[in-house]
Amino acid sequence: MERAASTLRILSLAVALIAALALAASSRAATSVGLGTANSFAVLAGAGVTNEGPSVINGDLGTSPNPAVTGFGGAPNGTVNGATHQADALAAQAQADLTTAYNDAAGQGPANTLATELGGETLTPGVYDSESGTFGITGTLTLNGQGNPDAVFILKTASTLITESASQVSMINGAQPCHLFWQIGSSATLGTNSVFVGSILALTSIELNSGVNVLGRLLARNASVTLINDTITRAECAVSGPSEGGGGEGGGGGGEAGAGGGGGETATAGAGGESGAGGAGGGRGQGGGGSKARPNARIAGVPGGFRVARRRGTPCVDRRFRARFRVDGSARMRRVSVFLDGKMIKQTSSKRFSVWITVRGLRAGRNTIRVVAVDRRGRRDMASRSFRRCARAAPSPDFTG
């Protein structure tokens, strides 16, 4: 009898412990943050947007109440592949919706508290905050969706977010950039050649150094957004269905930070590479076939270790080359557009074709080729690759005379 009572007590304690753990886990579960009209914006500011160099924004650009937008209009300046809203009614409404989203993210929790440095961490879905009130990323932060494409990550900081040069955020096992939110109590600064994923909801400003690639959104409530030769692509959730392929999106070492389709992996560019235009890495790949598979755009033939000259130890291109494009998918293409540094150089409905890239006239340093494929059902995919054009050798000094 006494043994039975003891066993009953142990079972009761076990049930209570399991319930407590389940409650704790559920209390930390994150729910997706609705962006309202701010959803269509890749960049949204409160006090203007400033750009230097050929930045590319894939999505809408807006600012309100300050209407100032400088440094755009196409190469050699920045390019906006979307609508621009300067202190108009839509930008004002987007700012109002951003405030609602910011407060939603700030109010979720209780949070799991982390150290300031996120580099080297692997996180599962949930709400996180910083013990010091700031976050930094050196190296790679990995977010594991655990096979759930609807998994939500919210990272909150009372003050700043600062990422170091060549740092990156990697999402794996079905995690999608559209479900990653950074609620920043003041400002965010992203380091040179870093790869960043998710939507930044900043109270004040957002500043990007040169060569940053973002798959997500830069949304600043009260201050400005500053860009320098960067690429920002608005993150969209993958459309899944029983007849679509099951693999996640994501390329090789230099592939685009993509939205996982469920059960697969999403790879970001390697250090120093470009999200969606990684140094010479693989393009974006979408797993799974199926009779209704979405388009899957790929780029090949972009020099990354061959047909290059070495100037000061850096591989670079000094002659024209042929880039090859391929779009997989069951539906016919409505259009396939190829951009070089934000300027369209070809549009076709073919699924396989090539384009000669002439480097003469391009700026020295990194240049980006991007392909956007849209099928007859309106579904799209995008892939990018980058290459470096050699700088012209300086003339030898003349010591005669």
Side-chain angles (χ1 to χ4, degrees), residues 165-262:
S165 297
S167 62
Q168 61 178 313
V169 178
S170 175
M171 303 193 77
I172 64 173
N173 291 334
Q176 299 201 66
C178 63
H179 292 315
L180 170 56
F181 303 92
W182 301 80
Q183 186 262 324
I184 310 301
S186 60
S187 61
T189 303
L190 306 186
T192 302
N193 291 330
S194 59
V195 175
F196 190 84
V197 177
S199 296
I200 297 178
L201 286 59
L203 181 63
T204 54
S205 65
I206 302 174
E207 180 177 353
L208 274 60
N209 289 290
S210 179
V212 179
N213 282 267
V214 176
L215 182 60
R217 295 171 181 83
L218 307 178
L219 309 175
R221 289 180 55 189
N222 299 319
S224 62
V225 175
T226 303
L227 309 176
I228 306 175
N229 189 24
D230 306 302
T231 301
I232 301 90
T233 300
R234 185 176 68 92
E236 298 183 75
C237 289
V239 179
S240 59
S243 59
E244 293 197 14
E249 298 178 6
E256 179 181 355

Side-chain angles (χ1 to χ4, degrees), residues 26-30 104-112 127 154 156:
S26 63
S27 68
R28 287 173 168 78
D104 178 3
Q108 292 204 35
N112 301 279
V127 182
I154 297 177
K156 309 190 296 184

Side-chain angles (χ1 to χ4, degrees), residues 19-20 22 29 33 99 134 171 173 217 253 266 270 274 294 300 314 328 341:
V33 177
T99 299
T134 65
M171 303 193 77
N173 291 334
R217 295 171 181 83
T266 299
E274 181 175 352
R294 297 169 62 205
T314 302
D328 295 325
D341 293 335

